[in-house]
Amino acid sequence: LASGWGQTATLEADDAAVATQQADAKQEADQRADQDDNAGRAQDLPAGINDSFLDPDMKVEDFIQRFEIESREVFACRHQILAAVGLKPGMAVADVGSGTGLYVAPFAAAVGLEGKVYAIDISPNFIKHLRSRVKNEQMENVEVVLCSDHSINLPPNSVDRIFVCDVYHHFEFPASSLASIRSALRDGGELILIDFARDGEGERGEWLRNHVRAPQEVFQQEIVDAGFKFKEEVAIDGFKENYCLRFTK
């Protein structure tokens, strides 16, 4: 009996050791997976910067009231911005971070039925809203695309212009996202970037510095490092806290 008890105890100890080894191996694998998942993640990115967009209870109407108002520079200056994008009939353009769809209809009109607009977003609720808006407004030349935090999910050499408006600072993995943008852009195509400057005074300036992870020169260099050529900073009358940059492939 003593011998049998000893064998049982030994087996139980062996089983416990194996379970511990398996748990340790799983923990190491999970840690490696986390490291892989975070490889290339932007530094100094505010925690949870995209949580509100991914929330299944997000109300698009709330963002329409925030985004499509005259006090927002990219709304008030939308006609100048449209001119800066330089669309012509037959072109294909990607609106990355299309959101409520502020620029979708103007882009669709500018490229005409022979052109193409890709309305791209990471938010499932924005995607539903965009699809409904495209259907209701009968924009036959618009395709709505759900992207990921690593890729805009467009085929290579598929667009002439890529428009990223007040969105780049939300990119969690800018290098991989920029690689997908460059791949989708045709030779000679242009990337138009609008984002926030981190200066400013008072509460608004403080909010911008806490919300936007890096200043203009850092974003510009990241895009150049991704293989784009910086062409110019576009002057937009009415821009005080935004800037507009043009890059070419």
Side-chain angles (χ1 to χ4, degrees):
L1 288 176
S3 175
W5 181 87
Q7 292 176 349
T8 300
T10 300
L11 290 173
E12 289 177 349
D14 289 344
D15 289 343
V18 169
T20 299
Q21 291 172 351
Q22 290 175 335
D24 291 343
K26 183 179 184 303
Q27 184 178 9
E28 290 178 4
D30 289 344
Q31 289 174 345
R32 287 195 298 271
D34 288 342
Q35 291 172 352
D36 291 340
D37 288 343
N38 287 321
R41 185 178 178 83
Q43 295 183 353
D44 300 322
L45 194 71
I49 191 170
N50 291 320
D51 287 356
S52 61
F53 302 122
L54 300 175
D55 185 347
D57 296 324
M58 183 194 86
K59 293 180 174 58
V60 175
E61 294 77 12
D62 293 343
F63 285 92
I64 292 175
Q65 293 175 11
R66 287 173 52 188
F67 288 173
E68 300 188 19
I69 55 174
E70 290 294 334
S71 61
R72 188 181 182 214
E73 291 182 358
V74 296
F75 181 85
C77 302
R78 59 195 180 278
H79 301 299
Q80 291 183 67
I81 292 170
L82 179 62
V85 178
L87 296 177
K88 297 178 181 179
M91 280 187 169
V93 57
D95 181 12
V96 177
S98 194
T100 62
L102 171 61
Y103 282 93
V104 172
F107 285 176
V111 300
L113 290 178
E114 63 272 35
K116 186 79 172 182
V117 177
Y118 295 96
I120 303 171
D121 211 276
I122 198 172
S123 165
N125 285 10
F126 277 150
I127 291 293
K128 292 177 184 177
H129 167 76
L130 289 166
R131 286 175 177 158
S132 176
R133 186 167 183 174
V134 166
K135 181 179 179 180
N136 292 338
E137 299 181 27
Q138 299 181 336
M139 291 184 278
E140 298 177 1
N141 58 348
V142 178
E143 180 178 338
V144 179
V145 178
L146 178 67
C147 68
S148 73
D149 55 6
H150 283 78
S151 173
I152 64 171
N153 290 342
L154 286 187
N157 303 310
S158 55
V159 291
D160 304 289
R161 297 285 188 274
I162 295 184
F163 182 65
V164 182
C165 181
D166 282 356
V167 170
Y168 185 77
H169 65 274
H170 282 271
F171 282 12
E172 296 187 46
F173 298 91
S176 59
S177 295
L178 285 169
S180 74
I181 287 173
R182 191 173 187 279
S183 173
L185 199 59
R186 294 168 180 155
D187 288 344
E190 294 183 351
L191 165 63
I192 310 298
L193 176 84
I194 295 175
D195 218 300
F196 291 108
R198 295 178 81 240
D199 50 16
E201 300 178 355
E203 293 182 1
R204 180 63 176 174
E206 183 178 356
W207 180 85
L208 287 171
R209 285 184 287 276
N210 290 331
H211 181 68
V212 180
R213 65 177 173 84
Q216 174 181 338
E217 56 269 21
V218 172
F219 286 173
Q220 181 174 322
Q221 188 60 50
E222 288 177 354
I223 296 169
V224 170
D225 289 345
F228 292 88
K229 296 179 181 178
F230 174 66
K231 187 173 183 179
E232 62 178 338
E233 180 169 356
V234 182
I236 302 291
D237 293 339
F239 269 13
K240 295 181 179 178
E241 62 182 29
N242 282 105
Y243 56 86
C244 179
L245 306 178
R246 189 190 311 277
F247 301 84
T248 59
K249 177 180 176 180

